[in-house]
Coordinates of all heavy atoms in Angstrom, one line a residue:
P54 N 2.2 29.3 -23.1 CA 2.9 29.0 -24.4 C 2.1 29.5 -25.7 O 2.7 29.5 -26.7 CB 3.1 27.5 -24.5 CG 1.9 26.9 -23.7 CD 1.7 28.1 -22.6
F248 N -12.2 55.4 0.5 CA -11.2 56.3 0.5 C -10.3 56.0 1.6 O -10.8 55.9 2.8 CB -11.5 57.8 0.5 CG -12.4 58.3 -0.6 CD1 -13.7 58.0 -0.6 CD2 -11.8 59.0 -1.6 CE1 -14.4 58.4 -1.8 CE2 -12.5 59.4 -2.7 CZ -13.8 59.0 -2.9
M379 N 3.4 52.0 -18.3 CA 2.0 51.5 -18.7 C 2.2 50.0 -19.0 O 2.9 49.5 -19.8 CB 1.4 52.2 -19.9 CG 1.4 53.8 -19.8 SD 0.8 54.6 -21.1 CE -0.9 54.5 -20.9
L500 N 2.1 54.9 -12.5 CA 2.1 53.5 -12.9 C 0.7 53.1 -13.2 O -0.2 53.2 -12.4 CB 2.6 52.6 -11.7 CG 2.5 51.0 -11.9 CD1 3.3 50.6 -13.1 CD2 3.0 50.3 -10.7
L541 N 12.6 64.9 -3.4 CA 12.0 63.7 -3.1 C 12.6 62.4 -3.6 O 12.6 61.4 -3.2 CB 10.4 63.7 -3.6 CG 10.2 63.9 -5.1 CD1 9.8 62.5 -5.6 CD2 9.0 64.9 -5.3
S547 N 10.4 58.4 -3.7 CA 9.6 58.3 -5.0 C 8.4 57.6 -4.9 O 7.2 58.0 -5.4 CB 10.4 57.9 -6.1 OG 11.6 58.6 -6.2

Side-chain angles (χ1 to χ4, degrees):
F248 297 85
M379 310 179 80
L500 171 62
L541 67 94
S547 300

